[in-house]
């Protein structure tokens, strides 16, 4: 078994390449969904930026709502999820320069496409859900 700095650097490189590959795939699906919805300025690079920005802004919105509404314990998580979704769709709206409806539809359609692709890959035996 390899050991030392080379092994650690290799793990970092594989992690970085895995992140970039998953970012490209998610960006491709969001770009495809944006084209299907009718967003004119959709590209894979913009979609990748929207994926990263939406994740960061959504996580911040989620955390802020949970912390501010800690006193209503059962509802704070639900409201935080709504804030996350609104923040994510706002980032898509801003980056693609479109309206709220098209941004939300692109977000939903990208999720549906991703679930369908994973389902097909599972049925073909290429991916295991474990």
């Amino acid at each position: 078994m390899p050991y030392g700095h080379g092994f650690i650097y290799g793990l970092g490189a594989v992690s970085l390449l895995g992140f970039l590959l998953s970012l490209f795939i998610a960006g491709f699906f969001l770009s495809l969904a944006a084209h299907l919805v009718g967003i004119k300025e959709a590209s894979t690079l913009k979609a990748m930026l929207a994926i990263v920005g939406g994740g960061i802004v959504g996580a911040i919105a989620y955390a802020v709502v949970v912390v501010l509404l800690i006193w209503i314990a059962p509802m704070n998580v639900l409201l935080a999820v709504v804030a996350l979704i609104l923040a994510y769709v706002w980032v898509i709206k801003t980056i693609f320069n479109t309206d709220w409806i098209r941004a939300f539809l692109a977000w939903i359609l990208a999720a549906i496409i991703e679930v369908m692709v994973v389902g097909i890959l599972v049925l073909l035996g290429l991916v295991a859900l474990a």
Side-chain angles (χ1 to χ4, degrees):
M1 177 170 190
Y3 58 94
H5 296 297
F7 181 67
I8 301 298
Y9 294 147
L11 284 177
V14 168
S15 299
L16 180 64
L17 288 175
F19 171 74
L20 291 176
L21 179 65
S22 64
L23 179 62
F24 177 76
I25 291 170
F28 174 75
F29 287 142
L30 182 59
S31 173
L32 178 66
H35 281 296
L36 290 175
V37 169
I39 298 174
K40 302 291 184 221
E41 299 180 18
S43 69
T44 305
L45 186 63
K46 282 185 177 182
M48 289 169 61
L49 185 63
I51 294 289
V52 171
I56 293 169
V57 173
I60 291 170
Y62 182 90
V64 166
V65 170
V66 165
V67 168
L68 291 179
L69 299 179
I70 196 75
W71 51 276
I72 53 170
M75 286 296 293
N76 70 345
V77 174
L78 180 64
L79 292 174
V81 168
V82 170
L84 181 139
I85 292 170
L86 286 175
Y88 207 106
V89 171
W90 174 77
V91 169
I92 293 172
K93 174 192 169 307
T94 303
I95 289 179
F96 287 140
N97 196 19
T98 187
D99 58 351
W100 282 96
I101 301 292
R102 288 181 199 258
F104 182 74
L105 289 175
W107 179 73
I108 288 289
L109 191 58
I112 291 170
I113 291 171
E114 289 174 10
V115 168
M116 287 176 44
V117 167
V118 168
I120 290 169
L121 290 175
V122 167
L123 288 176
L124 293 174
L126 298 174
V127 174
L129 294 177

